[in-house]
């Protein structure tokens, strides 16, 4: 399949006892898909997967898989090892694995390519590379991204370069055929779409989902006037939501809206401050919840 449009990397809501609130998770999944999201991401970094037990992780995937099956939507699962992608064989609803460029080790570009060759060979579903160099410490040239795109089974990239850098410009000047580029720096997604990106994996799209979907459609239709207007509006929201570590502000906003029972996060995250939450609430596009 071709990965286009808006994919929402779902938070993991917690109830007053600290347990995962699966009912709220299901409600969020249904809300964003009804708002125009093309699919969901479960166990992405926004969902705090490292803080979830294996039982909790399975429950999250069970819920999101059921909703995506009912809605005919794509489901992408965070999977960052050969063992994790192999486990997706038992998940027929899964459309792709989202796999992080190896962090901290900085294996070099040849090492990254070899790593994704191994992941793709083991995976029963297409692999989407998650490239976020300001977190992993590993930069990738446009030439290396093209090498990744040539690996059988690698379908695209979640690109979070911290802005529109030279490597991104070079890549988007001649993007690999059949390789989806999905923006993941929420505040920069509009200019990346203007360069030809296929969509985005956007935590901010928990809110104003229909506007983010409209943003993608407008750029794809070549309606730059409309796209710029929507993009400018959504940039302020994205900046406000990322004023503190993700997803702390987002959870605060969702709780304030009554969409999740608490704003709780798990360590090492701490809840966002009230000022950040109020600022994000004030930045939502007019006429939307």
């Amino acid at each position: 399949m071709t990965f286009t449009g808006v994919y929402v990397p779902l938070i993991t809501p917690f109830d007053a006892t600290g347990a995962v609130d699966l009912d709220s998770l299901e409600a969020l999944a249904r809300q964003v898909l009804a708002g125009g999201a093309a699919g969901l991401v479960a166990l992405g970094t926004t969902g705090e997967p490292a803080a979830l037990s294996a039982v909790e992780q399975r429950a999250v995937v069970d819920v999101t898989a059921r909703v995506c099956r009912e809605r005919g939507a794509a489901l992408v699962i965070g999977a960052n090892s050969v063992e994790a992608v192999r486990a997706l064989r038992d998940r027929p609803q899964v459309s792709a694995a989202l796999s992080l460029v190896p962090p901290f080790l900085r294996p070099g570009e040849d090492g990254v390519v070899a790593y994704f060759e191994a992941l793709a060979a083991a995976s029963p579903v297409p692999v989407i590379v998650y490239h976020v160099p300001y977190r992993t410490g590993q930069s990738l040239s446009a030439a290396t991204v093209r090498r990744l795109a040539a690996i059988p089974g690698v379908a695209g990239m979640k690109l979070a370069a911290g802005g529109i850098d030279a490597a991104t410009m070079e890549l988007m000047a001649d993007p690999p055929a059949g390789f989806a580029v999905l923006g993941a720096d929420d505040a920069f997604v509009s200019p990346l779409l203007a360069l030809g990106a296929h969509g985005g994996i956007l935590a901010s799209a928990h809110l104003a989902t229909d506007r983010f979907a409209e943003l993608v459609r407008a750029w794809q239709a070549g309606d730059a006037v409309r796209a710029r207007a929507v993009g400018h509006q959504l940039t302020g929201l994205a900046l406000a939501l990322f004023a503190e570590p993700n997803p702390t502000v987002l959870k605060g906003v969702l709780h304030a809206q009554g969409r999740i029972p608490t704003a709780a996060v798990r360590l090492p995250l701490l809840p966002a401050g009230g000022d950040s939450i109020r600022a994000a609430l004030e930045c939502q596009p007019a006429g939307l919840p």
Side-chain angles (χ1 to χ4, degrees):
M1 66 177 293
T2 302
F3 295 93
T4 63
V6 173
Y7 297 80
V8 179
L10 289 173
I11 65 152
T12 303
F14 302 118
D15 65 20
T17 71
V20 175
D21 189 315
L22 296 174
D23 290 340
S24 294
L25 177 68
E26 180 172 348
L28 285 173
R30 294 187 183 280
Q31 288 162 7
V32 299
L33 291 176
L40 307 176
V41 179
L43 305 183
T45 50
T46 299
E48 304 173 71
L52 304 180
S53 70
V55 171
E56 290 172 327
Q57 291 182 6
R58 285 194 295 271
V60 165
V61 176
D62 287 343
V63 168
T64 52
R66 183 176 69 251
V67 173
C68 285
R69 181 173 59 251
E70 293 171 0
R71 298 279 310 192
L75 176 62
V76 180
I77 300 291
N80 295 304
S81 68
V82 167
E83 293 76 12
V85 296
R86 282 178 176 158
L88 299 180
R89 290 193 178 98
D90 299 327
R91 294 287 187 176
Q93 184 57 42
V94 175
S95 304
L98 179 63
S99 301
L100 185 65
V101 169
F104 186 75
L105 295 175
R106 297 197 296 179
E109 292 181 289
D110 289 344
V112 171
V113 172
Y115 174 77
F116 278 99
E117 287 173 339
L119 279 184
S123 179
V125 294
V127 173
I128 297 173
V129 177
Y130 183 10
H131 180 38
V132 53
Y134 53 87
R135 293 184 185 273
T136 65
Q138 177 65 64
S139 61
L140 297 177
S141 66
T144 295
V145 175
R146 293 192 177 95
R147 290 172 63 194
L148 292 169
I151 298 171
V154 172
M157 172 171 282
K158 177 182 177 182
L159 179 58
I164 308 296
D165 62 4
T168 299
M169 292 294 293
E170 183 180 350
L171 175 69
M172 298 311 299
D174 184 22
F179 182 76
V181 177
L182 301 170
D185 288 312
D186 296 27
F188 294 99
V189 71
S190 187
L192 190 62
L193 289 164
L195 292 172
H198 299 79
I201 298 177
L202 305 169
S204 301
H206 281 80
L207 311 174
T209 312
D210 57 349
R211 291 288 178 90
F212 280 100
E214 180 185 4
L215 177 68
V216 174
R217 290 194 303 271
W219 279 120
Q220 290 178 342
D223 186 351
V225 173
R226 180 61 179 165
R228 281 196 294 267
V230 176
H232 290 329
Q233 195 175 46
L234 293 175
T235 296
L237 173 62
L239 290 171
L241 289 173
F242 282 80
E244 297 190 40
N246 185 50
T248 62
V249 179
L250 175 58
K251 280 191 161 184
V253 170
L254 291 170
H255 176 54
Q257 293 178 335
R259 295 172 64 189
I260 57 175
T262 74
V265 291
R266 289 182 178 173
L267 292 171
L269 296 174
L270 297 174
D275 289 346
S276 295
I277 296 168
R278 284 188 290 272
L281 285 164
E282 292 171 359
C283 284
Q284 291 187 82
L288 290 174

